[in-house]
Short mmCIF file of all heavy atoms in Angstrom, two decimals:
data_model
loop_
_atom_site.label_atom_id
_atom_site.label_comp_id
_atom_site.label_asym_id
_atom_site.label_seq_id
_atom_site.Cartn_x
_atom_site.Cartn_y
_atom_site.Cartn_z
N MET I 1 -20.16 -26.47 -35.39
CA MET I 1 -20.56 -27.86 -35.68
C MET I 1 -21.55 -27.90 -36.83
O MET I 1 -22.27 -26.96 -37.08
CB MET I 1 -21.12 -28.49 -34.42
CG MET I 1 -20.18 -28.45 -33.21
SD MET I 1 -18.65 -29.36 -33.50
CE MET I 1 -19.25 -31.03 -33.63
N GLY I 2 -21.56 -29.05 -37.51
CA GLY I 2 -22.30 -29.13 -38.76
C GLY I 2 -23.66 -29.81 -38.71
O GLY I 2 -24.37 -29.78 -39.70
N CYS I 3 -24.01 -30.45 -37.59
CA CYS I 3 -25.34 -31.07 -37.54
C CYS I 3 -25.76 -31.28 -36.11
O CYS I 3 -25.05 -30.99 -35.17
CB CYS I 3 -25.38 -32.37 -38.34
SG CYS I 3 -24.65 -33.79 -37.51
N VAL I 4 -26.93 -31.91 -35.93
CA VAL I 4 -27.52 -32.02 -34.61
C VAL I 4 -26.93 -33.19 -33.77
O VAL I 4 -27.17 -33.29 -32.58
CB VAL I 4 -29.05 -32.23 -34.74
CG1 VAL I 4 -29.35 -33.63 -35.26
CG2 VAL I 4 -29.78 -31.96 -33.45
N VAL I 5 -26.15 -34.10 -34.42
CA VAL I 5 -25.67 -35.28 -33.69
C VAL I 5 -24.76 -34.90 -32.51
O VAL I 5 -25.05 -35.21 -31.37
CB VAL I 5 -24.92 -36.24 -34.66
CG1 VAL I 5 -24.32 -37.41 -33.87
CG2 VAL I 5 -25.86 -36.78 -35.74
N ASN I 6 -23.64 -34.24 -32.81
CA ASN I 6 -22.74 -33.81 -31.74
C ASN I 6 -22.71 -32.28 -31.56
O ASN I 6 -22.06 -31.78 -30.66
CB ASN I 6 -21.30 -34.28 -32.02
CG ASN I 6 -21.16 -35.77 -31.87
OD1 ASN I 6 -21.72 -36.39 -30.98
ND2 ASN I 6 -20.40 -36.37 -32.77
N GLY I 7 -23.45 -31.58 -32.45
CA GLY I 7 -23.39 -30.13 -32.45
C GLY I 7 -23.74 -29.48 -31.12
O GLY I 7 -22.95 -28.74 -30.56
N PRO I 8 -24.95 -29.73 -30.58
CA PRO I 8 -25.29 -29.07 -29.32
C PRO I 8 -24.36 -29.43 -28.17
O PRO I 8 -23.98 -28.58 -27.37
CB PRO I 8 -26.72 -29.58 -29.09
CG PRO I 8 -27.23 -29.91 -30.45
CD PRO I 8 -26.05 -30.46 -31.18
N GLY I 9 -23.95 -30.71 -28.09
CA GLY I 9 -23.07 -31.13 -27.00
C GLY I 9 -21.71 -30.42 -27.07
O GLY I 9 -21.25 -29.90 -26.06
N GLU I 10 -21.10 -30.42 -28.21
CA GLU I 10 -19.80 -29.76 -28.35
C GLU I 10 -19.93 -28.25 -28.15
O GLU I 10 -19.04 -27.60 -27.57
CB GLU I 10 -19.19 -30.04 -29.74
CG GLU I 10 -18.68 -31.46 -29.92
CD GLU I 10 -17.40 -31.74 -29.14
OE1 GLU I 10 -16.80 -30.77 -28.55
OE2 GLU I 10 -16.97 -32.91 -29.08
N SER I 11 -21.04 -27.69 -28.62
CA SER I 11 -21.26 -26.26 -28.47
C SER I 11 -21.40 -25.85 -27.00
O SER I 11 -20.93 -24.79 -26.59
CB SER I 11 -22.51 -25.83 -29.25
OG SER I 11 -22.35 -26.03 -30.65
N LYS I 12 -22.00 -26.73 -26.20
CA LYS I 12 -22.15 -26.44 -24.78
C LYS I 12 -20.83 -26.50 -24.05
O LYS I 12 -20.63 -25.82 -23.07
CB LYS I 12 -23.14 -27.44 -24.15
CG LYS I 12 -24.59 -27.26 -24.61
CD LYS I 12 -25.49 -28.34 -24.00
CE LYS I 12 -26.91 -28.21 -24.49
NZ LYS I 12 -27.79 -29.29 -23.98
N HIS I 13 -19.92 -27.38 -24.53
CA HIS I 13 -18.63 -27.53 -23.85
C HIS I 13 -17.69 -26.34 -24.16
O HIS I 13 -16.78 -26.04 -23.38
CB HIS I 13 -17.94 -28.81 -24.27
CG HIS I 13 -18.56 -30.05 -23.71
ND1 HIS I 13 -18.73 -30.23 -22.38
CD2 HIS I 13 -19.00 -31.20 -24.32
CE1 HIS I 13 -19.29 -31.40 -22.15
NE2 HIS I 13 -19.48 -32.01 -23.30
N ALA I 14 -17.89 -25.67 -25.27
CA ALA I 14 -17.05 -24.53 -25.65
C ALA I 14 -17.52 -23.26 -24.96
O ALA I 14 -18.61 -23.20 -24.39
CB ALA I 14 -17.10 -24.36 -27.19
N ASN I 15 -16.66 -22.21 -25.03
CA ASN I 15 -17.09 -20.92 -24.50
C ASN I 15 -18.27 -20.39 -25.32
O ASN I 15 -19.25 -19.87 -24.78
CB ASN I 15 -15.92 -19.92 -24.57
CG ASN I 15 -14.78 -20.30 -23.66
OD1 ASN I 15 -13.78 -20.83 -24.11
ND2 ASN I 15 -14.94 -20.05 -22.36
N ILE I 16 -18.15 -20.52 -26.62
CA ILE I 16 -19.24 -20.11 -27.54
C ILE I 16 -19.33 -21.24 -28.60
O ILE I 16 -18.29 -21.70 -29.12
CB ILE I 16 -18.96 -18.80 -28.28
CG1 ILE I 16 -18.58 -17.70 -27.31
CG2 ILE I 16 -20.13 -18.36 -29.10
CD1 ILE I 16 -18.13 -16.43 -27.98
N GLY I 17 -20.51 -21.64 -28.93
CA GLY I 17 -20.68 -22.67 -29.93
C GLY I 17 -21.91 -22.45 -30.78
O GLY I 17 -22.91 -21.88 -30.33
N ILE I 18 -21.84 -22.91 -32.02
CA ILE I 18 -22.99 -22.83 -32.92
C ILE I 18 -23.17 -24.21 -33.57
O ILE I 18 -22.19 -24.81 -33.98
CB ILE I 18 -22.83 -21.73 -33.98
CG1 ILE I 18 -24.10 -21.61 -34.83
CG2 ILE I 18 -21.58 -21.96 -34.86
CD1 ILE I 18 -24.09 -20.36 -35.71
N SER I 19 -24.40 -24.67 -33.63
CA SER I 19 -24.72 -25.93 -34.25
C SER I 19 -25.55 -25.67 -35.49
O SER I 19 -26.72 -25.35 -35.43
CB SER I 19 -25.52 -26.81 -33.26
OG SER I 19 -25.84 -28.05 -33.85
N LEU I 20 -24.88 -25.76 -36.63
CA LEU I 20 -25.55 -25.47 -37.92
C LEU I 20 -26.39 -26.67 -38.33
O LEU I 20 -26.15 -27.80 -37.94
CB LEU I 20 -24.52 -25.16 -38.97
CG LEU I 20 -23.72 -23.84 -38.73
CD1 LEU I 20 -22.44 -23.83 -39.54
CD2 LEU I 20 -24.59 -22.67 -39.10
N PRO I 21 -27.43 -26.42 -39.17
CA PRO I 21 -28.30 -27.52 -39.55
C PRO I 21 -27.64 -28.43 -40.59
O PRO I 21 -27.00 -27.95 -41.53
CB PRO I 21 -29.51 -26.79 -40.15
CG PRO I 21 -28.94 -25.48 -40.64
CD PRO I 21 -27.88 -25.11 -39.66
N GLY I 22 -27.79 -29.75 -40.38
CA GLY I 22 -27.29 -30.67 -41.35
C GLY I 22 -28.36 -30.89 -42.44
O GLY I 22 -29.42 -30.29 -42.44
N THR I 23 -28.01 -31.76 -43.38
CA THR I 23 -28.94 -32.05 -44.50
C THR I 23 -30.25 -32.56 -43.99
O THR I 23 -30.31 -33.51 -43.20
CB THR I 23 -28.27 -33.08 -45.45
OG1 THR I 23 -27.01 -32.60 -45.86
CG2 THR I 23 -29.15 -33.33 -46.64
N GLY I 24 -31.35 -31.93 -44.40
CA GLY I 24 -32.68 -32.39 -44.01
C GLY I 24 -33.12 -31.89 -42.64
O GLY I 24 -34.27 -32.19 -42.22
N GLU I 25 -32.28 -31.19 -41.92
CA GLU I 25 -32.64 -30.68 -40.59
C GLU I 25 -33.27 -29.28 -40.74
O GLU I 25 -33.14 -28.57 -41.71
CB GLU I 25 -31.40 -30.59 -39.69
CG GLU I 25 -30.79 -31.95 -39.40
CD GLU I 25 -29.51 -31.85 -38.57
OE1 GLU I 25 -29.20 -30.77 -38.08
OE2 GLU I 25 -28.80 -32.90 -38.46
N THR I 26 -34.01 -28.90 -39.67
CA THR I 26 -34.64 -27.59 -39.65
C THR I 26 -33.56 -26.52 -39.82
O THR I 26 -32.54 -26.52 -39.12
CB THR I 26 -35.36 -27.37 -38.28
OG1 THR I 26 -36.27 -28.45 -38.10
CG2 THR I 26 -36.08 -26.02 -38.28
N PRO I 27 -33.75 -25.56 -40.74
CA PRO I 27 -32.72 -24.58 -41.08
C PRO I 27 -32.54 -23.48 -40.01
O PRO I 27 -32.81 -22.29 -40.27
CB PRO I 27 -33.20 -23.99 -42.41
CG PRO I 27 -34.67 -24.13 -42.33
CD PRO I 27 -34.95 -25.43 -41.62
N VAL I 28 -32.18 -23.93 -38.83
CA VAL I 28 -31.91 -22.98 -37.76
C VAL I 28 -30.57 -23.35 -37.09
O VAL I 28 -30.13 -24.49 -37.18
CB VAL I 28 -33.02 -22.98 -36.68
CG1 VAL I 28 -34.31 -22.48 -37.29
CG2 VAL I 28 -33.18 -24.36 -36.06
N ALA I 29 -29.91 -22.38 -36.46
CA ALA I 29 -28.61 -22.62 -35.86
C ALA I 29 -28.60 -22.10 -34.42
O ALA I 29 -28.38 -20.90 -34.16
CB ALA I 29 -27.51 -21.96 -36.68
N PRO I 30 -28.82 -22.96 -33.44
CA PRO I 30 -28.76 -22.51 -32.04
C PRO I 30 -27.35 -22.15 -31.62
O PRO I 30 -26.39 -22.82 -32.00
CB PRO I 30 -29.27 -23.74 -31.26
CG PRO I 30 -29.00 -24.90 -32.14
CD PRO I 30 -29.17 -24.41 -33.55
N VAL I 31 -27.22 -21.09 -30.82
CA VAL I 31 -25.94 -20.61 -30.34
C VAL I 31 -25.91 -20.79 -28.82
O VAL I 31 -26.87 -20.46 -28.12
CB VAL I 31 -25.71 -19.14 -30.71
CG1 VAL I 31 -24.44 -18.61 -30.05
CG2 VAL I 31 -25.64 -18.95 -32.21
N TYR I 32 -24.78 -21.33 -28.30
CA TYR I 32 -24.62 -21.55 -26.90
C TYR I 32 -23.45 -20.68 -26.40
O TYR I 32 -22.39 -20.62 -26.97
CB TYR I 32 -24.30 -23.05 -26.63
CG TYR I 32 -25.41 -23.97 -27.06
CD1 TYR I 32 -25.54 -24.37 -28.39
CD2 TYR I 32 -26.32 -24.46 -26.12
CE1 TYR I 32 -26.57 -25.23 -28.77
CE2 TYR I 32 -27.36 -25.30 -26.49
CZ TYR I 32 -27.46 -25.70 -27.83
OH TYR I 32 -28.48 -26.54 -28.21
N VAL I 33 -23.70 -20.03 -25.27
CA VAL I 33 -22.66 -19.22 -24.64
C VAL I 33 -22.46 -19.71 -23.20
O VAL I 33 -23.41 -19.75 -22.42
CB VAL I 33 -23.08 -17.70 -24.61
CG1 VAL I 33 -22.05 -16.87 -23.87
CG2 VAL I 33 -23.25 -17.22 -26.03
N ASP I 34 -21.23 -20.14 -22.93
CA ASP I 34 -20.93 -20.74 -21.60
C ASP I 34 -21.93 -21.85 -21.24
O ASP I 34 -22.41 -21.93 -20.09
CB ASP I 34 -20.90 -19.67 -20.53
CG ASP I 34 -19.67 -18.73 -20.68
OD1 ASP I 34 -18.65 -19.19 -21.20
OD2 ASP I 34 -19.80 -17.54 -20.34
N GLY I 35 -22.27 -22.65 -22.25
CA GLY I 35 -23.12 -23.83 -22.00
C GLY I 35 -24.59 -23.57 -22.05
O GLY I 35 -25.43 -24.50 -21.91
N VAL I 36 -25.00 -22.31 -22.22
CA VAL I 36 -26.42 -21.97 -22.19
C VAL I 36 -26.86 -21.52 -23.61
O VAL I 36 -26.22 -20.66 -24.23
CB VAL I 36 -26.70 -20.85 -21.19
CG1 VAL I 36 -28.18 -20.46 -21.19
CG2 VAL I 36 -26.30 -21.31 -19.78
N ARG I 37 -27.97 -22.09 -24.07
CA ARG I 37 -28.52 -21.63 -25.36
C ARG I 37 -29.05 -20.24 -25.25
O ARG I 37 -29.94 -19.98 -24.40
CB ARG I 37 -29.60 -22.62 -25.80
CG ARG I 37 -30.21 -22.27 -27.18
CD ARG I 37 -31.06 -23.42 -27.66
NE ARG I 37 -31.74 -23.09 -28.93
CZ ARG I 37 -32.39 -23.98 -29.66
NH1 ARG I 37 -32.46 -25.27 -29.27
NH2 ARG I 37 -32.97 -23.64 -30.78
N THR I 38 -28.53 -19.31 -26.01
CA THR I 38 -28.92 -17.92 -25.88
C THR I 38 -29.72 -17.37 -27.02
O THR I 38 -30.54 -16.46 -26.83
CB THR I 38 -27.66 -17.04 -25.75
OG1 THR I 38 -26.82 -17.23 -26.91
CG2 THR I 38 -26.86 -17.40 -24.50
N VAL I 39 -29.51 -17.89 -28.24
CA VAL I 39 -30.21 -17.36 -29.40
C VAL I 39 -30.21 -18.41 -30.51
O VAL I 39 -29.33 -19.32 -30.49
CB VAL I 39 -29.53 -16.05 -29.88
CG1 VAL I 39 -28.13 -16.33 -30.41
CG2 VAL I 39 -30.39 -15.33 -30.93
N THR I 40 -31.11 -18.30 -31.43
CA THR I 40 -31.15 -19.17 -32.58
C THR I 40 -31.06 -18.31 -33.83
O THR I 40 -31.88 -17.38 -34.02
CB THR I 40 -32.43 -20.01 -32.62
OG1 THR I 40 -32.52 -20.84 -31.44
CG2 THR I 40 -32.47 -20.90 -33.86
#
């Protein structure tokens, strides 16, 4: 996913998901595994 709007939600629904920072957002990308945030 490309930004914080739907990124975390869609990432949690997937087996593995990453929410990349959109324009002007903090340059970090949280990763979710089976709905749980595991690493940034």
Side-chain angles (χ1 to χ4, degrees):
M1 304 299 292
C3 79
V4 74
V5 174
N6 290 320
E10 288 288 353
S11 296
K12 290 176 183 177
H13 288 306
N15 296 100
I16 308 174
I18 184 169
S19 180
L20 294 162
T23 304
E25 296 176 10
T26 304
V28 296
V31 174
Y32 298 82
V33 176
D34 291 329
V36 178
R37 182 169 176 169
T38 59
V39 66
T40 299

